[in-house]
Amino acid sequence: MTTASNFDIFLICPPGLEPLLAAEAKESGFAPAKAVSGGVEVQGGWPEVWRANLMLRGAVRVLVRIGGFRAFHLAQLDKRARKFPWAEFLRPDVPLRVEVTTNKRSKIYHAKAASERIERAISEELGAPISKEAALVLKARFDDNLVTFSLDTSGESLHKRGFKPAVNKAPMRETLAAMFLRDCGYDGSFPVLDPMCGSGTFVIEAAERALGLAPGRTRSFSFENLASFDPEVWDEMRAGVTPKPTDQRFYGSDRDQGAITMSQRNAEAAGVSEITDFACTPITALKAPEGPKGLVIINPPYGARIGNKKPLYALHAALGTTLKAEFKGWRVGLITSEAGLAKTTGLPFKAGPYVPHGGLKVRLYQCDAL
Ligand SMILES: C[S@@+](CC[C@H](N)C(=O)[O-])C[C@H]1O[C@@H](n2cnc3c(N)ncnc32)[C@H](O)[C@@H]1O
């Protein structure tokens, strides 16, 4: 096992969320946690790669840079790819696919020809099967005649926490939900309520964070199929994440009973149902729960994705009225692609950066305690 190695590790996140992911990475002990376009740079050995996959709520994938070389033409690429120490990283019995990105600054700019050379080198020198369906991905990036190899150590996107059996229409990705919660100052120490909870994403993310559960605790990762994987160390790492008790509760409601049943099922699967409450309630009948005040976070329908826009203005106006009347002392965060809908609530929102979500650009609108 190459525990001594110090790799460049790249934590991918949607553009706009880099500073939030950098803050999370820093808080979780990763360094230097530098925010760059599309992600965050950290360094470490394989255990850090595994820990990033296991623990970070905002990363979509974890890439590890395993090396590279200069290549000015295909014959040179072929020769150097054959000498690359693939066996240090890949297993001869695990299929993989190669994804190439090139740009005009490199003499090798034909991605298909480049990937063929790399695939052939790996299959002939190491024996690993190449397959378009392979879960394991080697990324080769050509820039300025330098080819850099990175392994995607996550596999399925990390927003898939691995236990969500039920998904509503237009769900928020867990990674995005976690970062929006963080942007609202959520640190696990106060209640969170989502009055349009759909499949319960915000409520479950918030509850998990309060309990100190590792987001990747039940899923598998591509790094488990790499040469460096040590199941014993990994088991110890997972077992070492001990949940902490919390006094907080987490609330979800929705006017749709189907959504509530789904949220309850998801909360149970995530192991947070003891501290979550879900109720079938329309916005107009919403009341603040007894106990400490916290954060209301909402991802209402925004028209471009589901339904049409006109009734949404009435819905947002009703939402604003209810929150102002019933939620004194609560902070509010609202995610929408429509500035006009956020404005219709009449709440004193500040808008965050644009973030891609489901083919749209959404923003988090947030305000201090009402
Ligand atoms: C975009 S979805 C929320 C998705 C959710 N964040 C998730 O991750 O699954 C919007 C939700 O608002 C609910 N909704 C729409 N109008 C409502 C109303 N008047 N009162 C309560 N919920 C409403 C819908 O049933 C839907 O589940």
Side-chain angles (χ1 to χ4, degrees):
M1 206 181 75
T2 46
T3 36
S5 306
N6 199 33
F7 297 113
D8 288 333
I9 302 167
F10 192 61
L11 314 170
I12 297 184
C13 68
L17 297 180
E18 297 93 339
L20 290 165
L21 179 57
E24 186 194 12
K26 220 168 255 177
E27 213 175 279
S28 308
F30 293 94
K34 186 172 167 228
V36 297
S37 173
V40 172
E41 293 173 349
V42 300
Q43 284 182 334
W46 287 110
E48 291 301 86
V49 172
W50 306 343
R51 195 166 71 82
N53 276 291
L54 176 66
M55 297 305 291
L56 293 175
R57 295 201 161 271
V60 174
R61 295 181 177 281
V62 178
L63 304 186
V64 57
R65 193 180 293 170
I66 57 169
F69 46 75
R70 294 222 165 260
F72 291 88
H73 51 80
L74 289 171
Q76 196 172 41
L77 172 64
D78 184 82
K79 198 166 159 202
R80 293 189 174 168
R82 284 173 187 279
K83 290 205 180 119
F84 192 85
W86 299 114
E88 269 181 39
F89 307 103
L90 303 174
R91 279 178 21 192
D93 58 328
V94 176
L96 90 156
R97 65 195 152 95
V98 177
E99 281 179 11
V100 170
T101 50
T102 54
N103 62 30
K104 289 269 152 61
R105 283 196 299 274
S106 281
K107 290 200 168 111
I108 298 175
Y109 57 85
H110 196 293
K112 190 153 180 284
S115 66
E116 273 167 16
R117 297 307 189 284
I118 299 164
E119 284 170 2
R120 207 183 314 143
I122 294 172
S123 70
E124 289 179 10
E125 300 301 321
L126 178 75
I130 304 295
S131 159
K132 279 193 176 59
E133 283 79 48
L136 182 61
V137 179
L138 172 77
K139 291 175 182 283
R141 182 165 170 260
F142 288 77
D143 191 22
D144 215 0
N145 300 308
L146 179 69
V147 49
T148 309
F149 296 117
S150 298
L151 283 166
D152 175 353
T153 65
S154 303
E156 269 206 296
S157 163
L158 295 177
H159 83 273
K160 298 212 168 153
R161 305 297 201 211
F163 48 73
K164 199 174 187 181
V167 181
N168 207 4
K169 56 188 172 189
M172 172 79 23
R173 290 186 171 218
E174 285 69 6
T175 41
L176 221 54
M179 291 293 93
F180 287 140
L181 283 166
R182 173 173 283 272
D183 207 359
C184 290
Y186 181 62
D187 60 0
S189 68
F190 49 83
V192 171
L193 179 146
D194 180 352
M196 297 191 186
C197 69
S199 52
T201 316
F202 279 114
V203 183
I204 294 167
E205 275 300 310
E208 283 197 6
R209 172 116 197 252
L211 288 172
L213 296 175
R217 64 196 177 283
T218 59
R219 57 164 276 165
S220 57
F221 301 92
S222 273
F223 64 69
E224 293 169 51
N225 288 318
L226 295 175
S228 52
F229 185 57
D230 184 330
E232 267 177 43
V233 178
W234 171 233
D235 285 346
E236 257 172 52
M237 184 182 286
R238 273 196 302 190
V241 186
T242 39
K244 49 181 197 262
T246 177
D247 293 335
Q248 304 306 330
R249 294 203 70 78
F250 301 90
Y251 308 89
S253 54
D254 201 289
R255 67 168 177 198
D256 174 11
Q257 180 55 50
I260 294 307
T261 308
M262 213 181 286
S263 291
Q264 281 163 335
R265 227 184 297 148
N266 289 336
E268 253 160 54
V272 299
S273 57
E274 296 275 295
I275 56 164
T276 54
D277 293 307
F278 293 98
C280 185
T281 312
I283 279 297
T284 42
L286 188 67
K287 297 265 181 281
E290 299 280 310
K293 299 173 194 318
L295 168 73
V296 178
I297 191 152
I298 325 153
N299 165 218
Y302 11 89
R305 287 187 84 194
I306 12 178
N308 89 49
K309 249 168 239 171
K310 268 201 182 146
L312 293 179
Y313 283 92
L315 175 65
H316 283 72
L319 175 64
T321 306
T322 302
L323 292 180
K324 277 185 264 180
E326 303 290 339
F327 283 80
K328 294 250 154 39
W330 287 68
R331 300 185 218 177
V332 181
L334 180 136
I335 294 98
T336 183
S337 60
E338 300 289 323
L341 291 175
K343 199 166 170 222
T344 304
T345 60
L347 298 173
F349 282 138
K350 280 189 305 230
Y354 288 98
V355 180
H357 172 52
L360 295 168
K361 294 254 191 237
V362 299
R363 298 173 92 175
L364 169 68
Y365 293 81
Q366 56 171 312
C367 62
D368 286 340
L370 296 174

